[in-house]
Amino acid sequence: MATRQIISKETTLELRKRHIGPSCKLFYKDDPIKILRASGVYMYDELGGRYLDCINNVCHVGHCNPYVVSAAMQQMAALNTNTRFLHDNIVLYAQRLVSTFPKELSVCFFVNSGSEANDLAIRLARAHTGRRDVVTLDHAYHGHVSSLIDISPYMFNRPGGQGQQDWVHVAPVPDVYRGTYRDDEFTAEECAEKYADEVRRLCDEAARPGGGVALFVAESMQSCGGQIVFPPGYLRRVYSDVRAAGGVCQADEVQVGFGRVGSHMWAFQTQGDDVVPDIVTLGKPMGNGHPVSAVVTTREIAESFGAKGMQYFNTFGGNPVSAAIADAVLDVIENDKLMENATRIGDYVRREINSLREKHAIIGDVRGQGMFLGVDLVLDRRTRAPATAQAAYISRRLKEEHVLLSCDGPHRNVLKFKPPLVFNLDNAKELLEKLDKIMTEMEAAECDVGAITRRLYKGVRGEYYTAGCTLLYLT
Protein backbone atom coordinates (compact mmCIF):
# COMPACT_ATOMS: atom_id res chain seq x y z
CA MET A 1 0.00 0.00 0.00
CA ALA A 2 1.36 3.39 -0.97
CA THR A 3 2.27 5.73 1.88
CA ARG A 4 0.21 8.89 1.80
CA GLN A 5 2.18 12.11 1.76
CA ILE A 6 2.17 13.99 5.07
CA ILE A 7 1.89 17.72 4.58
CA SER A 8 2.38 20.55 7.04
CA LYS A 9 -0.43 21.86 9.20
CA GLU A 10 -0.19 25.20 7.40
CA THR A 11 -0.58 23.50 4.01
CA THR A 12 -3.52 21.46 5.29
CA LEU A 13 -5.23 24.62 6.50
CA GLU A 14 -4.55 26.44 3.24
CA LEU A 15 -5.95 23.55 1.16
CA ARG A 16 -9.01 23.42 3.37
CA LYS A 17 -9.62 27.13 2.86
CA ARG A 18 -9.21 26.69 -0.88
CA HIS A 19 -11.26 23.53 -1.48
CA ILE A 20 -13.67 23.03 1.47
CA GLY A 21 -16.83 25.12 1.73
CA PRO A 22 -16.38 28.12 4.06
CA SER A 23 -19.51 27.24 6.05
CA CYS A 24 -17.78 24.01 7.20
CA LYS A 25 -16.44 25.29 10.51
CA LEU A 26 -13.50 23.99 12.52
CA PHE A 27 -13.20 23.50 16.23
CA TYR A 28 -10.81 26.06 17.73
CA LYS A 29 -10.92 28.28 14.64
CA ASP A 30 -8.13 30.54 15.87
CA ASP A 31 -5.74 27.60 16.30
CA PRO A 32 -7.27 24.38 14.93
CA ILE A 33 -5.88 21.01 15.89
CA LYS A 34 -4.58 18.72 13.14
CA ILE A 35 -5.39 15.18 14.27
CA LEU A 36 -3.46 12.28 12.71
CA ARG A 37 -4.50 9.32 14.84
CA ALA A 38 -6.56 8.32 17.85
CA SER A 39 -6.91 5.44 20.29
CA GLY A 40 -9.39 4.87 23.08
CA VAL A 41 -10.15 8.26 24.62
CA TYR A 42 -7.11 10.06 23.21
CA MET A 43 -6.50 11.92 19.96
CA TYR A 44 -2.99 12.80 18.71
CA ASP A 45 -1.87 15.80 16.66
CA GLU A 46 0.85 15.99 14.02
CA LEU A 47 3.49 16.71 16.66
CA GLY A 48 2.48 13.75 18.81
CA GLY A 49 0.55 15.87 21.31
CA ARG A 50 -2.10 13.84 23.14
CA TYR A 51 -5.58 15.24 23.81
CA LEU A 52 -8.16 13.76 26.19
CA ASP A 53 -11.37 13.55 24.16
CA CYS A 54 -14.46 14.57 26.11
CA ILE A 55 -16.27 15.72 22.95
CA ASN A 56 -16.54 12.64 20.78
CA ASN A 57 -19.88 10.87 21.20
CA VAL A 58 -19.36 9.18 17.81
CA CYS A 59 -16.47 6.84 18.66
CA HIS A 60 -18.71 5.31 21.28
CA VAL A 61 -16.57 2.30 22.27
CA GLY A 62 -13.28 4.14 21.86
CA HIS A 63 -11.36 5.49 18.90
CA CYS A 64 -10.09 2.75 16.58
CA ASN A 65 -11.43 -0.02 18.80
CA PRO A 66 -9.45 -3.10 17.66
CA TYR A 67 -12.44 -5.46 17.77
CA VAL A 68 -14.58 -3.15 15.64
CA VAL A 69 -11.73 -2.48 13.20
CA SER A 70 -11.17 -6.22 12.80
CA ALA A 71 -14.87 -6.85 12.08
CA ALA A 72 -14.81 -4.14 9.42
CA MET A 73 -11.67 -5.50 7.75
CA GLN A 74 -12.88 -9.09 7.68
CA GLN A 75 -16.23 -8.27 6.11
CA MET A 76 -14.74 -5.75 3.68
CA ALA A 77 -12.35 -8.46 2.48
CA ALA A 78 -15.26 -10.84 1.84
CA LEU A 79 -18.15 -8.79 0.42
CA ASN A 80 -19.82 -5.41 0.42
CA THR A 81 -22.93 -4.80 -1.65
CA ASN A 82 -26.38 -3.24 -1.38
CA THR A 83 -29.34 -4.76 0.42
CA ARG A 84 -31.26 -5.86 -2.66
CA PHE A 85 -29.26 -9.07 -2.34
CA LEU A 86 -30.00 -11.39 0.55
CA HIS A 87 -27.32 -11.39 3.22
CA ASP A 88 -27.26 -12.64 6.80
CA ASN A 89 -25.60 -9.62 8.41
CA ILE A 90 -28.48 -7.19 8.02
CA VAL A 91 -31.22 -9.55 9.23
CA LEU A 92 -29.23 -10.94 12.15
CA TYR A 93 -28.25 -7.45 13.25
CA ALA A 94 -31.85 -6.23 12.92
CA GLN A 95 -33.03 -9.13 15.05
CA ARG A 96 -30.43 -8.32 17.69
CA LEU A 97 -31.09 -4.60 17.62
CA VAL A 98 -34.88 -4.83 18.09
CA SER A 99 -34.34 -7.22 21.01
CA THR A 100 -33.02 -4.21 22.96
CA PHE A 101 -36.31 -2.32 22.45
CA PRO A 102 -39.85 -2.78 23.79
CA LYS A 103 -41.63 -5.46 21.77
CA GLU A 104 -43.78 -2.94 19.88
CA LEU A 105 -40.69 -1.62 18.08
CA SER A 106 -39.84 -4.51 15.79
CA VAL A 107 -39.10 -3.23 12.26
CA CYS A 108 -35.89 -1.55 11.02
CA PHE A 109 -34.92 0.68 8.13
CA PHE A 110 -31.16 1.10 7.71
CA VAL A 111 -29.63 4.34 6.47
CA ASN A 112 -26.29 6.15 6.69
CA SER A 113 -26.66 9.06 9.11
CA GLY A 114 -28.83 10.50 11.83
CA SER A 115 -30.04 13.09 9.34
CA GLU A 116 -31.24 10.39 6.93
CA ALA A 117 -32.90 8.54 9.80
CA ASN A 118 -34.78 11.62 11.00
CA ASP A 119 -35.82 12.56 7.47
CA LEU A 120 -37.24 9.06 6.97
CA ALA A 121 -39.04 9.27 10.32
CA ILE A 122 -40.98 12.31 9.08
CA ARG A 123 -41.97 10.40 5.95
CA LEU A 124 -43.13 7.41 8.00
CA ALA A 125 -45.23 9.61 10.30
CA ARG A 126 -46.89 11.44 7.45
CA ALA A 127 -47.63 8.23 5.53
CA HIS A 128 -49.17 6.66 8.62
CA THR A 129 -51.26 9.60 9.82
CA GLY A 130 -52.10 11.31 6.53
CA ARG A 131 -51.11 14.58 8.16
CA ARG A 132 -48.22 17.01 7.75
CA ASP A 133 -47.64 19.09 10.89
CA VAL A 134 -44.73 18.48 13.27
CA VAL A 135 -44.33 19.51 16.90
CA THR A 136 -40.71 20.03 17.91
CA LEU A 137 -38.91 21.48 20.92
CA ASP A 138 -37.22 24.85 21.08
CA HIS A 139 -33.42 24.76 20.57
CA ALA A 140 -33.70 21.29 19.00
CA TYR A 141 -31.33 20.07 16.31
CA HIS A 142 -32.26 16.98 14.28
CA GLY A 143 -30.01 17.14 11.20
CA HIS A 144 -28.66 19.08 8.26
CA VAL A 145 -30.99 18.19 5.37
CA SER A 146 -33.75 20.63 4.40
CA SER A 147 -36.61 18.74 6.03
CA LEU A 148 -34.73 18.68 9.34
CA ILE A 149 -33.56 22.26 9.29
CA ASP A 150 -37.29 23.06 9.03
CA ILE A 151 -37.96 21.27 12.35
CA SER A 152 -34.75 22.38 14.12
CA PRO A 153 -35.07 25.78 15.84
CA TYR A 154 -31.35 25.47 16.60
CA MET A 155 -30.88 26.01 12.85
CA PHE A 156 -33.86 27.91 11.44
CA ASN A 157 -33.73 30.61 14.11
CA ARG A 158 -30.02 31.32 13.55
CA PRO A 159 -28.22 33.42 10.93
CA GLY A 160 -28.96 32.02 7.48
CA GLY A 161 -32.11 30.23 8.65
CA GLN A 162 -35.45 30.75 6.95
CA GLY A 163 -37.52 30.98 10.10
CA GLN A 164 -40.41 28.82 11.22
CA GLN A 165 -42.66 27.12 8.67
CA ASP A 166 -46.42 27.25 9.20
CA TRP A 167 -46.60 23.46 9.63
CA VAL A 168 -43.98 23.47 12.40
CA HIS A 169 -45.02 24.05 16.01
CA VAL A 170 -42.35 24.82 18.61
CA ALA A 171 -42.90 23.83 22.23
CA PRO A 172 -40.68 25.15 25.02
CA VAL A 173 -37.93 22.73 25.94
CA PRO A 174 -38.67 21.27 29.39
CA ASP A 175 -35.62 22.85 30.99
CA VAL A 176 -36.35 23.09 34.70
CA TYR A 177 -33.21 25.13 35.45
CA ARG A 178 -33.57 28.12 33.11
CA GLY A 179 -36.69 27.40 31.06
CA THR A 180 -40.24 28.78 31.16
CA TYR A 181 -41.13 26.71 34.24
CA ARG A 182 -38.28 26.39 36.73
CA ASP A 183 -37.45 24.25 39.71
CA ASP A 184 -37.23 27.30 41.99
CA GLU A 185 -40.94 27.93 41.41
CA PHE A 186 -42.48 24.49 40.80
CA THR A 187 -41.95 20.86 41.76
CA ALA A 188 -40.60 18.45 39.16
CA GLU A 189 -44.09 16.98 38.73
CA GLU A 190 -45.60 20.44 38.21
CA CYS A 191 -42.90 21.30 35.67
CA ALA A 192 -43.60 18.10 33.73
CA GLU A 193 -47.32 18.86 33.66
CA LYS A 194 -46.89 22.49 32.61
CA TYR A 195 -44.41 21.71 29.84
CA ALA A 196 -46.60 18.85 28.59
CA ASP A 197 -49.59 21.20 28.54
CA GLU A 198 -47.67 23.38 26.08
CA VAL A 199 -47.43 20.45 23.66
CA ARG A 200 -51.13 19.64 24.05
CA ARG A 201 -51.97 23.27 23.30
CA LEU A 202 -49.93 23.13 20.08
CA CYS A 203 -51.70 19.92 19.06
CA ASP A 204 -55.01 21.71 19.51
CA GLU A 205 -53.79 24.67 17.44
CA ALA A 206 -52.66 22.35 14.66
CA ALA A 207 -56.12 20.78 14.41
CA ARG A 208 -57.21 23.38 11.85
CA PRO A 209 -59.14 22.40 8.70
CA GLY A 210 -56.81 20.31 6.57
CA GLY A 211 -54.21 20.24 9.31
CA GLY A 212 -53.40 18.08 12.30
CA VAL A 213 -50.24 16.83 13.95
CA ALA A 214 -48.44 13.99 12.24
CA LEU A 215 -45.42 13.82 14.53
CA PHE A 216 -44.00 14.92 17.85
CA VAL A 217 -40.21 14.66 17.73
CA ALA A 218 -37.73 15.15 20.56
CA GLU A 219 -34.39 13.84 21.64
CA SER A 220 -34.94 11.73 24.72
CA MET A 221 -32.52 14.10 26.46
CA GLN A 222 -31.80 17.30 24.57
CA SER A 223 -28.17 17.84 23.57
CA CYS A 224 -27.77 21.13 21.67
CA GLY A 225 -30.25 22.76 24.02
CA GLY A 226 -27.72 22.38 26.83
CA GLN A 227 -27.75 18.73 27.99
CA ILE A 228 -31.36 18.93 29.19
CA VAL A 229 -32.89 16.09 31.20
CA PHE A 230 -36.68 16.17 31.08
CA PRO A 231 -38.64 16.15 34.34
CA PRO A 232 -40.06 12.72 35.29
CA GLY A 233 -43.36 11.97 33.57
CA TYR A 234 -42.94 14.52 30.79
CA LEU A 235 -42.69 12.11 27.86
CA ARG A 236 -45.43 9.87 29.26
CA ARG A 237 -47.88 12.77 29.30
CA VAL A 238 -46.75 14.18 25.93
CA TYR A 239 -46.89 10.86 24.12
CA SER A 240 -50.41 10.28 25.41
CA ASP A 241 -51.62 13.72 24.33
CA VAL A 242 -50.03 13.54 20.88
CA ARG A 243 -51.57 10.13 20.20
CA ALA A 244 -54.95 11.40 21.38
CA ALA A 245 -54.58 14.16 18.78
CA GLY A 246 -53.93 11.58 16.05
CA GLY A 247 -50.17 11.93 15.80
CA VAL A 248 -47.25 9.60 16.44
CA CYS A 249 -44.20 10.11 18.67
CA GLN A 250 -40.53 9.91 17.78
CA ALA A 251 -37.56 9.54 20.11
CA ASP A 252 -34.36 10.86 18.55
CA GLU A 253 -31.62 8.73 20.14
CA VAL A 254 -28.87 9.76 17.72
CA GLN A 255 -26.78 11.35 20.48
CA VAL A 256 -28.07 9.73 23.65
CA GLY A 257 -28.65 6.10 22.67
CA PHE A 258 -26.67 2.85 22.84
CA GLY A 259 -26.18 2.93 26.62
CA ARG A 260 -24.76 6.43 26.99
CA VAL A 261 -27.09 7.12 29.93
CA GLY A 262 -25.79 3.99 31.67
CA SER A 263 -28.96 2.74 33.34
CA HIS A 264 -30.70 1.89 30.05
CA MET A 265 -29.77 1.16 26.46
CA TRP A 266 -32.12 3.92 25.25
CA ALA A 267 -32.59 7.24 26.99
CA PHE A 268 -36.40 7.29 26.52
CA GLN A 269 -36.50 4.31 28.89
CA THR A 270 -35.39 6.56 31.76
CA GLN A 271 -38.87 8.13 31.65
CA GLY A 272 -40.51 4.83 32.59
CA ASP A 273 -41.02 1.28 31.31
CA ASP A 274 -44.43 2.27 29.94
CA VAL A 275 -43.01 5.17 27.88
CA VAL A 276 -42.65 3.74 24.37
CA PRO A 277 -42.28 5.92 21.26
CA ASP A 278 -43.72 4.91 17.88
CA ILE A 279 -40.49 5.67 16.00
CA VAL A 280 -36.88 5.71 17.22
CA THR A 281 -33.96 7.09 15.23
CA LEU A 282 -30.36 6.00 15.76
CA GLY A 283 -27.06 7.28 14.45
CA LYS A 284 -23.66 8.60 15.59
CA PRO A 285 -22.43 5.83 17.97
CA MET A 286 -24.02 2.96 16.06
CA GLY A 287 -20.93 2.33 13.92
CA ASN A 288 -18.27 3.87 16.19
CA GLY A 289 -17.44 6.39 13.48
CA HIS A 290 -18.52 4.31 10.49
CA PRO A 291 -21.56 5.87 8.74
CA VAL A 292 -24.47 3.64 9.69
CA SER A 293 -27.81 4.52 11.28
CA ALA A 294 -31.35 3.24 11.53
CA VAL A 295 -35.03 3.89 12.08
CA VAL A 296 -36.83 1.43 14.35
CA THR A 297 -40.62 1.50 14.33
CA THR A 298 -43.79 -0.53 14.73
CA ARG A 299 -45.08 -3.07 12.23
CA GLU A 300 -48.22 -0.94 11.75
CA ILE A 301 -46.29 2.20 10.77
CA ALA A 302 -43.93 0.27 8.50
CA GLU A 303 -46.88 -1.30 6.69
CA SER A 304 -48.61 2.09 6.29
CA PHE A 305 -45.46 3.38 4.61
CA GLY A 306 -45.25 0.33 2.36
CA ALA A 307 -48.90 0.64 1.38
CA LYS A 308 -48.20 3.99 -0.28
CA GLY A 309 -46.55 2.08 -3.12
CA MET A 310 -43.24 3.95 -3.24
CA GLN A 311 -40.29 1.62 -2.91
CA TYR A 312 -37.71 2.52 -0.27
CA PHE A 313 -34.13 1.80 -1.21
CA ASN A 314 -30.84 2.97 0.28
CA THR A 315 -27.65 2.10 -1.59
CA PHE A 316 -25.40 1.84 1.46
CA GLY A 317 -27.83 1.54 4.37
CA GLY A 318 -27.38 -1.80 6.15
CA ASN A 319 -24.75 -3.15 3.75
CA PRO A 320 -22.78 -6.19 4.99
CA VAL A 321 -19.81 -4.14 6.21
CA SER A 322 -21.97 -1.59 8.04
CA ALA A 323 -24.01 -4.34 9.67
CA ALA A 324 -20.86 -6.20 10.75
CA ILE A 325 -19.44 -3.04 12.30
CA ALA A 326 -22.68 -2.19 14.10
CA ASP A 327 -22.90 -5.73 15.45
CA ALA A 328 -19.33 -5.50 16.72
CA VAL A 329 -20.17 -2.27 18.54
CA LEU A 330 -22.97 -4.06 20.41
CA ASP A 331 -20.52 -6.85 21.27
CA VAL A 332 -18.11 -4.36 22.84
CA ILE A 333 -20.87 -2.55 24.77
CA GLU A 334 -22.00 -5.87 26.24
CA ASN A 335 -18.68 -7.70 26.69
CA ASP A 336 -16.80 -4.74 28.15
CA LYS A 337 -19.77 -3.71 30.33
CA LEU A 338 -19.68 -0.16 29.02
CA MET A 339 -23.13 0.75 30.28
CA GLU A 340 -21.98 -0.09 33.79
CA ASN A 341 -18.85 1.98 33.18
CA ALA A 342 -20.97 4.90 31.94
CA THR A 343 -22.93 4.83 35.20
CA ARG A 344 -19.91 4.44 37.46
CA ILE A 345 -17.71 7.10 35.84
CA GLY A 346 -20.61 9.42 35.05
CA ASP A 347 -21.77 9.34 38.67
CA TYR A 348 -18.22 10.06 39.81
CA VAL A 349 -17.79 13.04 37.46
CA ARG A 350 -21.16 14.49 38.40
CA ARG A 351 -20.47 14.05 42.13
CA GLU A 352 -17.05 15.66 41.89
CA ILE A 353 -18.27 18.63 39.83
CA ASN A 354 -20.99 19.15 42.43
CA SER A 355 -18.19 19.23 45.00
CA LEU A 356 -16.40 21.84 42.88
CA ARG A 357 -19.66 23.80 42.92
CA GLU A 358 -19.02 24.49 46.61
CA LYS A 359 -15.70 26.04 45.62
CA HIS A 360 -16.52 27.82 42.36
CA ALA A 361 -19.57 30.10 42.22
CA ILE A 362 -19.57 30.00 38.42
CA ILE A 363 -20.99 26.45 38.51
CA GLY A 364 -24.75 26.88 38.54
CA ASP A 365 -26.23 23.50 37.69
CA VAL A 366 -24.81 20.02 37.10
CA ARG A 367 -27.19 17.73 35.24
CA GLY A 368 -27.39 14.62 33.14
CA GLN A 369 -26.93 10.90 33.49
CA GLY A 370 -24.19 8.43 32.66
CA MET A 371 -21.77 9.97 30.21
CA PHE A 372 -24.19 12.65 29.09
CA LEU A 373 -23.60 15.53 31.49
CA GLY A 374 -23.89 19.31 31.35
CA VAL A 375 -22.37 21.98 33.58
CA ASP A 376 -24.41 25.19 33.37
CA LEU A 377 -22.12 28.14 34.11
CA VAL A 378 -23.63 31.30 35.60
CA LEU A 379 -22.64 34.84 36.52
CA ASP A 380 -25.03 34.79 39.47
CA ARG A 381 -26.69 31.74 41.00
CA ARG A 382 -29.74 33.70 42.09
CA THR A 383 -30.55 35.16 38.66
CA ARG A 384 -28.94 32.25 36.77
CA ALA A 385 -27.53 34.71 34.23
CA PRO A 386 -25.48 32.64 31.75
CA ALA A 387 -21.67 32.90 31.84
CA THR A 388 -21.21 32.71 28.08
CA ALA A 389 -17.77 34.27 27.70
CA GLN A 390 -16.46 32.34 30.70
CA ALA A 391 -17.61 29.03 29.20
CA ALA A 392 -15.77 29.81 25.97
CA TYR A 393 -12.66 30.82 27.89
CA ILE A 394 -12.69 27.62 29.97
CA SER A 395 -13.10 25.50 26.85
CA ARG A 396 -10.15 27.23 25.18
CA ARG A 397 -7.96 26.89 28.27
CA LEU A 398 -8.83 23.20 28.55
CA LYS A 399 -7.66 22.78 24.96
CA GLU A 400 -4.34 24.39 25.96
CA GLU A 401 -4.21 21.80 28.74
CA HIS A 402 -4.82 19.08 26.13
CA VAL A 403 -8.42 18.37 27.14
CA LEU A 404 -11.17 18.71 24.52
CA LEU A 405 -14.53 19.80 25.94
CA SER A 406 -17.17 21.78 24.03
CA CYS A 407 -19.90 24.16 25.13
CA ASP A 408 -23.46 24.56 23.87
CA GLY A 409 -26.97 25.57 24.82
CA PRO A 410 -28.98 28.65 23.78
CA HIS A 411 -26.46 30.88 25.59
CA ARG A 412 -23.37 28.74 24.83
CA ASN A 413 -22.71 28.55 28.56
CA VAL A 414 -23.07 24.80 29.16
CA LEU A 415 -19.96 22.61 29.22
CA LYS A 416 -20.87 19.30 27.54
CA PHE A 417 -19.39 16.01 28.75
CA LYS A 418 -20.05 13.25 26.20
CA PRO A 419 -16.87 11.18 25.76
CA PRO A 420 -16.36 7.64 24.44
CA LEU A 421 -17.83 5.14 26.92
CA VAL A 422 -14.37 3.70 27.64
CA PHE A 423 -13.57 6.87 29.62
CA ASN A 424 -12.08 5.66 32.91
CA LEU A 425 -11.40 6.94 36.42
CA ASP A 426 -7.94 8.30 35.62
CA ASN A 427 -9.37 10.15 32.61
CA ALA A 428 -12.08 11.63 34.84
CA LYS A 429 -9.51 12.78 37.39
CA GLU A 430 -7.46 14.46 34.67
CA LEU A 431 -10.51 16.37 33.44
CA LEU A 432 -11.59 17.41 36.93
CA GLU A 433 -8.13 18.51 38.05
CA LYS A 434 -7.68 20.72 34.99
CA LEU A 435 -11.18 22.14 35.24
CA ASP A 436 -10.59 23.04 38.89
CA LYS A 437 -7.20 24.56 38.03
CA ILE A 438 -8.62 26.81 35.31
CA MET A 439 -11.56 28.01 37.41
CA THR A 440 -9.17 28.74 40.28
CA GLU A 441 -6.91 30.74 37.95
CA MET A 442 -9.86 32.77 36.71
CA GLU A 443 -10.96 33.65 40.23
CA ALA A 444 -7.44 34.49 41.40
CA ALA A 445 -6.78 36.77 38.43
CA GLU A 446 -10.13 38.53 38.82
CA CYS A 447 -9.84 39.15 35.11
CA ASP A 448 -12.43 40.30 32.61
CA VAL A 449 -12.78 37.00 30.78
CA GLY A 450 -15.29 38.49 28.36
CA ALA A 451 -12.83 41.19 27.29
CA ILE A 452 -10.06 38.62 26.88
CA THR A 453 -12.28 36.39 24.79
CA ARG A 454 -13.39 39.26 22.57
CA ARG A 455 -9.85 40.50 22.06
CA LEU A 456 -8.37 37.12 21.21
CA TYR A 457 -11.14 35.54 19.19
CA LYS A 458 -12.79 38.19 17.07
CA GLY A 459 -14.04 36.50 13.93
CA VAL A 460 -16.06 37.42 10.86
CA ARG A 461 -19.62 38.68 10.39
CA GLY A 462 -19.89 39.93 13.97
CA GLU A 463 -19.15 36.57 15.59
CA TYR A 464 -16.49 35.12 17.83
CA TYR A 465 -15.30 31.56 17.40
CA THR A 466 -13.59 29.87 20.30
CA ALA A 467 -13.19 26.26 21.26
CA GLY A 468 -16.07 25.08 19.15
CA CYS A 469 -18.41 27.74 20.57
CA THR A 470 -19.96 30.40 18.36
CA LEU A 471 -20.35 33.50 20.47
CA LEU A 472 -22.34 36.58 19.43
CA TYR A 473 -21.05 40.03 20.32
CA LEU A 474 -21.36 40.55 24.05
CA THR A 475 -21.28 44.37 23.95
Side-chain angles (χ1 to χ4, degrees):
M1 182 176 67
T3 302
R4 182 178 295 278
Q5 176 188 6
I6 297 177
I7 58 179
S8 69
K9 177 179 176 179
E10 292 73 22
T11 302
T12 303
L13 190 56
E14 174 58 33
L15 288 172
R16 182 179 176 107
K17 290 177 179 177
R18 189 184 310 168
H19 299 300
I20 306 300
S23 59
C24 301
K25 300 301 181 184
L26 285 165
F27 282 134
Y28 312 102
K29 183 176 183 290
D30 62 291
D31 183 23
I33 306 171
K34 181 176 178 179
I35 297 296
L36 293 190
R37 65 185 183 90
S39 177
V41 298
Y42 289 103
M43 304 176 77
Y44 298 82
D45 67 18
E46 81 283 5
L47 300 177
R50 187 179 78 167
Y51 294 83
L52 179 63
D53 184 5
C54 304
I55 289 176
N56 214 306
N57 60 346
V58 178
C59 292
H60 197 61
V61 299
H63 290 278
C64 301
N65 182 283
Y67 183 84
V68 177
V69 170
S70 176
M73 292 173 63
Q74 290 180 47
Q75 184 56 54
M76 181 65 81
L79 171 72
N80 199 25
T81 186
N82 67 60
T83 55
R84 290 189 178 185
F85 296 99
L86 275 176
H87 195 273
D88 291 344
N89 284 9
I90 187 173
V91 295
L92 292 175
Y93 179 72
Q95 181 183 46
R96 183 179 186 184
L97 181 64
V98 299
S99 72
T100 67
F101 284 95
K103 65 180 187 307
E104 297 93 332
L105 296 163
S106 60
V107 180
C108 300
F109 294 84
F110 290 101
V111 291
N112 305 299
S113 69
S115 291
E116 281 193 32
N118 284 329
D119 178 77
L120 179 56
I122 296 173
R123 292 178 61 190
L124 291 170
R126 287 174 170 167
H128 183 67
T129 64
R131 299 173 173 186
R132 184 168 186 243
D133 289 22
V134 175
V135 176
T136 187
L137 296 182
D138 202 6
H139 314 309
Y141 173 71
H142 294 290
H144 60 78
V145 300
S146 296
S147 65
L148 303 176
I149 291 173
D150 283 344
I151 66 167
S152 298
Y154 185 83
M155 299 298 288
F156 69 64
N157 279 333
R158 299 176 79 178
Q162 300 301 309
Q164 185 174 338
Q165 302 292 323
D166 61 3
W167 52 269
V168 175
H169 309 271
V170 180
V173 59
D175 177 357
V176 301
Y177 185 69
R178 62 172 64 256
T180 306
Y181 308 108
R182 303 186 351 175
D183 58 8
D184 57 353
E185 300 178 73
F186 304 100
T187 66
E189 293 76 13
E190 289 171 336
C191 285
E193 182 177 353
K194 288 180 177 296
Y195 279 116
D197 282 344
E198 296 283 350
V199 175
R200 181 177 53 78
R201 178 182 60 79
L202 292 173
C203 289
D204 291 342
E205 287 182 4
R208 61 188 184 279
V213 168
L215 179 69
F216 167 80
V217 55
E219 291 181 278
S220 304
M221 294 180 182
Q222 195 183 58
S223 52
C224 289
Q227 308 293 87
I228 305 301
V229 178
F230 303 155
Y234 172 73
L235 286 181
R236 178 182 295 108
R237 171 78 180 273
V238 168
Y239 284 6
S240 176
D241 289 344
V242 170
R243 287 166 178 153
V248 297
C249 303
Q250 177 194 342
D252 181 337
E253 295 269 341
V254 170
Q255 296 208 48
V256 293
F258 287 96
R260 176 158 294 278
V261 297
S263 61
H264 299 81
M265 179 64 84
W266 311 111
F268 70 79
Q269 294 171 314
T270 64
Q271 288 268 307
D273 292 340
D274 60 330
V275 177
V276 182
D278 304 293
I279 303 170
V280 182
T281 49
L282 315 175
K284 294 183 188 297
M286 187 171 172
N288 208 51
H290 178 85
V292 57
S293 57
V295 179
V296 182
T297 190
T298 65
R299 169 65 56 185
E300 183 182 14
I301 290 175
E303 289 181 350
S304 292
F305 186 60
K308 296 297 181 182
M310 182 180 290
Q311 182 186 55
Y312 181 78
F313 173 63
N314 190 302
T315 301
F316 299 109
N319 68 71
V321 172
S322 295
I325 290 170
D327 194 55
V329 169
L330 287 183
D331 282 344
V332 177
I333 292 172
E334 293 177 8
N335 296 339
D336 293 357
K337 296 180 169 48
L338 293 187
M339 290 174 62
E340 293 88 335
N341 188 64
T343 295
R344 182 172 62 255
I345 302 303
D347 285 352
Y348 173 79
V349 171
R350 182 172 180 176
R351 183 170 64 250
E352 291 301 308
I353 294 180
N354 270 313
S355 295
L356 290 179
R357 189 176 182 275
E358 302 303 314
K359 180 179 179 182
H360 302 295
I362 194 172
I363 299 175
D365 187 41
V366 185
R367 53 182 176 260
Q369 184 173 326
M371 290 195 190
F372 183 81
L373 303 177
V375 183
D376 196 310
L377 303 182
V378 297
L379 299 174
D380 182 287
R381 286 183 181 170
R382 182 184 61 82
T383 64
R384 304 183 181 181
T388 300
Q390 288 79 355
Y393 180 80
I394 290 169
S395 188
R396 179 187 70 83
R397 280 287 293 116
L398 281 170
K399 179 249 191 179
E400 293 173 353
E401 296 286 339
H402 283 214
V403 174
L404 307 180
L405 187 73
S406 64
C407 48
D408 215 331
H411 307 286
R412 299 285 181 178
N413 70 307
V414 179
L415 301 178
K416 298 177 68 174
F417 176 75
K418 49 186 181 66
L421 295 196
V422 293
F423 206 82
N424 65 29
L425 186 60
D426 288 338
N427 305 143
K429 289 179 178 178
E430 179 181 354
L431 166 65
L432 292 162
E433 287 169 3
K434 292 179 177 178
L435 185 62
D436 182 26
K437 171 187 172 181
I438 292 165
M439 289 182 174
T440 301
E441 288 174 354
M442 290 169 57
E443 293 159 357
E446 296 182 352
C447 58
D448 183 349
V449 175
I452 292 173
T453 303
R454 290 194 292 273
R455 185 173 69 250
L456 293 179
Y457 301 101
K458 186 172 181 180
V460 296
R461 296 191 303 279
E463 297 176 330
Y464 298 94
Y465 294 90
T466 173
C469 306
T470 304
L471 179 61
L472 297 180
Y473 277 131
L474 302 179
T475 56

